Amino acid sequence: MDEKAKTTKIAIRVFLAMALFLTTVDLPAQETRKVISNPAPAYPETAIAPDGQIKITKIIGGHPLLVNAVEETLESWKYAPAGAETTATLEFRFNP
């Protein structure tokens, strides 16, 4: 595995750890307050290199076992080549 791939994998794991930590924080409900702004959460974006290889992934949450399954699967994904780098928003749902 080259240095760039190692760095990307480490960055993904750090981001995943932070996302999992933030989802476990128990914030007190403030149901009596009026909502002024409630933007939708950002979904994960995957950067796709011009040659079609997935370059960077950002995992926003999920059970670690399922996140690992998605990460491993994304390593074998490939898109059609394009003139420039693009991003794609992906959401994976596991239904038994």
Side-chain angles (χ1 to χ4, degrees), residues 41-89:
Y43 285 98
E45 287 189 359
T46 304
I48 304 165
D51 69 354
Q53 292 293 104
I54 293 181
K55 187 174 168 184
I56 302 168
T57 60
K58 288 192 252 180
I59 307 297
I60 302 299
H63 191 280
L65 292 175
L66 300 178
V67 168
N68 287 337
V70 170
E71 285 181 317
E72 289 173 7
T73 301
L74 287 176
E75 289 177 7
S76 63
W77 277 35
K78 184 164 182 169
Y79 288 84
E85 185 176 294
T86 60
T87 60
T89 301

Side-chain angles (χ1 to χ4, degrees), residues 5-62:
K6 287 180 185 176
T7 303
T8 300
K9 202 165 205 168
I10 290 170
I12 291 169
R13 290 175 194 256
V14 168
F15 183 80
L16 176 61
M18 289 173 32
L20 290 174
F21 172 74
L22 292 175
T23 59
T24 60
V25 175
D26 188 23
L27 300 175
Q30 297 180 353
E31 298 172 12
T32 59
R33 298 188 78 163
K34 180 180 177 181
V35 175
I36 295 174
S37 174
N38 59 345
Y43 285 98
E45 287 189 359
T46 304
I48 304 165
D51 69 354
Q53 292 293 104
I54 293 181
K55 187 174 168 184
I56 302 168
T57 60
K58 288 192 252 180
I59 307 297
I60 302 299

